[in-house]
Amino acid sequence: MKRFEELTTDELYELLRLRVDVFIVEQRCIYGEIDGHDRQALHLIGTDGGEIAAYCRILPPGERYDEPSIGRVIVKTAWRGNGHARGLVERAKDIIRGEWGAVPVRLQAQHHLEPFYGSCGFESISEPYDDEGVPHIDMRMQVSESL
């Protein structure tokens, strides 16, 4: 986990490249991926052999929602299907608990991932909606003192 100012130039380049490769190129969704929230975020980076294999960011309360939020959860294609996304989400919940205590946590999920995030303790709080051509749903959970 690193704060923006702790990221090396190479790490920042690689994580932004990963996000663009997956969220824009692979998913064929044209939108402003670099959204102005990265400077305030905590960046959770999973590596394998020195290569970024998985990533997510945690936004503090008030940055996007009243609650802290988890977003940009991503696993490189070669590492998918091995539990890395679940590991990221669980580690992000631990970090949130450490930073802000037992508080609600928000995320905006692609609608087809609703069952996955539900299995991580999140509940849907909206109906599905279109976000840049991709169906999404808002989800929320309460992080307890002991997960």
Side-chain angles (χ1 to χ4, degrees), residues 77-134:
T77 306
W79 285 274
R80 291 181 189 162
N82 296 313
H84 297 301
R86 183 172 306 281
L88 279 174
V89 171
E90 294 304 321
R91 180 70 180 116
K93 290 174 6 184
D94 288 342
I95 290 168
I96 289 169
R97 187 179 68 233
E99 292 281 324
W100 299 288
V103 296
V105 179
R106 289 274 301 262
L107 62 78
Q108 179 190 40
Q110 291 182 6
H111 187 239
H112 75 277
L113 294 172
E114 181 180 14
F116 165 73
Y117 288 111
S119 75
C120 294
F122 288 85
E123 295 180 356
S124 301
I125 59 169
S126 76
E127 292 298 317
Y129 57 89
D130 182 270
D131 185 15
E132 304 291 342
V134 178

